[in-house]
Amino acid sequence: MLHYSRRKAFAAAIFGGLENPIGILIGGLVIGLLEQVFGIINSNIKEGITFLTVLLILAIRPSGLMGRKEIKKV
């Protein structure tokens, strides 16, 4: 059970952005809310929805939901 919670915490950190503690908090709340909503509908897809959401966020914003984009000047 300990490994399960570590995976969820890491997913929340990636979802919110690793550099922003508020983003990590929001990411954890969103992931928890999604799990509860989809857990009511079908408990088998609950964990899959979490990782699908993380993959979609990373495809749209690679730095996370509230992460900063790094601008390099040449």
Side-chain angles (χ1 to χ4, degrees):
M1 190 68 175
L2 183 62
H3 298 290
Y4 181 74
S5 63
R6 286 182 185 172
R7 282 187 274 164
K8 295 297 176 179
F10 185 68
I14 295 296
F15 185 87
L18 289 172
E19 300 156 353
N20 191 346
I22 302 297
I24 294 172
L25 178 66
I26 291 171
L29 290 172
V30 169
I31 286 176
L33 182 66
L34 284 174
E35 280 191 348
Q36 291 301 313
V37 168
F38 283 98
I40 292 171
I41 297 170
N42 186 356
S43 63
N44 293 330
I45 63 170
K46 176 166 90 166
E47 188 162 334
I49 289 297
T50 300
F51 293 109
L52 180 67
T53 305
V54 170
L55 287 175
L56 287 173
I57 289 297
L58 287 177
I60 296 168
R61 294 190 50 118
S63 60
L65 193 63
M66 303 189 91
R68 290 183 278 147
K69 293 183 180 178
E70 188 174 316
I71 300 173
K72 292 182 181 179
K73 293 184 180 182
V74 179

